[in-house]
Amino acid sequence: GIQVEQSPPDLILQEGANSTLRCNFSDSVNNLQWFHQNPWGQLINLFYIPSGTKQNGRLSATTVATERYSLLYISSSQTTDSGVYFCAVGRIQGAQKLVFGQGTRLTINP
Amino acid sequence: EAGVAQSPRYKIIEKRQSVAFWCNPISGHATLYWYQQILGQGPKLLIQFQNNGVVDDSQLPKDRFSAERLKGVDSTLKIQPAKLEDSAVYLCASSLLIHTDTQYFGPGTRLTVL
């Protein structure tokens, strides 16, 4: 099956800093989603981005499908950005199945 | 628009007991997913429904886990009998379409098996 690797596993930053999270995947995909899991466990969908670039406020994401990676950018970090960020990928093979990476734990200190 | 609802939020049981979780997806969403998330890991898909039919249950331990989605709306996931390694958060998600679509997650049920 598809392998998903996220880096770094942990990231600790001061409020106001910028960060880049990376997601590498082992095969061609036509579904890629970024999620934020807050400290209470709720998973929030950030982007559906199988290719190209999208922006939503301080967050943006870029997926280079031909090179099998995606990047999530967080600018001007706030303490509420803390949590775990997951990348999940999927292929159409009879059914959509998202395979999640292990996540990047982001801690933003005030 | 109401989100995905799950209950209960927490459950503690003894090993070998049975337990059931309930999920109500976003109105109009045809596809429903159950995931298992073990502490420190990403969610793992257990079963996926399209309306009331099973699309993928390849990672569901069928000797002890079962799930149903009657009438293509609510769904129930059952574990019988539970093992210690079933301690995890069970997440329900839904999406409008079956392929290439955004998934929306519920708050999850945290299961502890003693």
Side-chain angles (χ1 to χ4, degrees):
Chain A
I2 294 178
Q3 303 300 311
V4 183
E5 293 185 7
Q6 292 187 241
S7 60
D10 293 280
L11 188 58
I12 301 175
L13 299 171
Q14 290 298 121
E15 202 167 21
N18 301 327
S19 58
T20 301
L21 283 57
R22 187 177 179 99
C23 171
N24 292 332
F25 41 94
S26 62
D27 207 343
S28 300
V29 302
N30 46 26
N31 186 350
L32 189 146
Q33 301 185 33
W34 282 97
F35 295 88
H36 173 219
Q37 189 164 42
N38 65 25
W40 295 270
Q42 177 70 54
L43 269 165
I44 304 296
N45 191 290
L46 299 175
F47 294 104
Y48 170 78
I49 186 168
S51 64
T53 297
K54 290 186 177 180
Q55 181 161 3
N56 184 3
R58 297 182 294 104
L59 274 61
S60 63
T62 295
T63 298
V64 183
T66 54
E67 297 187 21
R68 300 182 184 173
Y69 73 89
S70 182
L71 301 174
L72 178 69
Y73 306 96
I74 305 174
S75 64
S76 304
S77 298
Q78 301 175 358
T79 55
T80 51
D81 294 331
S82 295
V84 182
Y85 289 80
F86 288 102
C87 167
V89 303
R91 300 183 62 187
I92 294 179
Q93 287 184 315
Q96 174 190 21
K97 176 191 292 185
L98 281 186
V99 176
F100 282 73
Q102 292 294 305
T104 292
R105 180 173 298 277
L106 177 65
T107 302
I108 304 298
N109 292 321
Chain B
E1 178 182 82
V4 177
Q6 290 188 247
S7 67
R9 293 295 311 277
Y10 306 91
K11 191 72 176 179
I12 301 174
I13 62 172
E14 300 280 338
K15 61 182 178 182
R16 290 187 290 274
Q17 286 186 323
S18 63
V19 64
F21 312 126
W22 174 82
C23 173
N24 182 247
I26 293 173
S27 177
H29 281 197
T31 311
L32 185 147
Y33 314 81
W34 282 102
Y35 289 87
Q36 180 192 60
Q37 185 176 22
I38 293 173
L39 187 65
Q41 299 182 16
K44 182 184 79 172
L45 181 70
L46 293 175
I47 189 167
Q48 175 182 338
F49 293 93
Q50 174 71 3
N51 296 312
N52 60 348
V54 175
V55 174
D56 188 329
D57 64 357
S58 58
Q59 300 186 108
L60 185 74
K62 299 181 186 63
D63 58 334
R64 297 183 301 105
F65 286 64
S66 65
E68 60 182 8
R69 190 184 184 196
L70 300 177
K71 301 181 181 179
V73 181
D74 293 6
S75 178
T76 302
L77 176 69
K78 297 180 181 178
I79 307 174
Q80 182 179 9
K83 292 185 175 181
L84 296 177
E85 58 261 37
D86 297 333
S87 293
V89 176
Y90 291 84
L91 295 161
C92 180
S94 70
S95 63
L96 187 59
L97 304 172
I98 184 172
H99 292 305
T100 61
D101 196 16
T102 300
Q103 292 188 20
Y104 298 90
F105 281 79
T109 296
R110 183 176 298 277
L111 174 67
T112 301
V113 182
L114 303 176

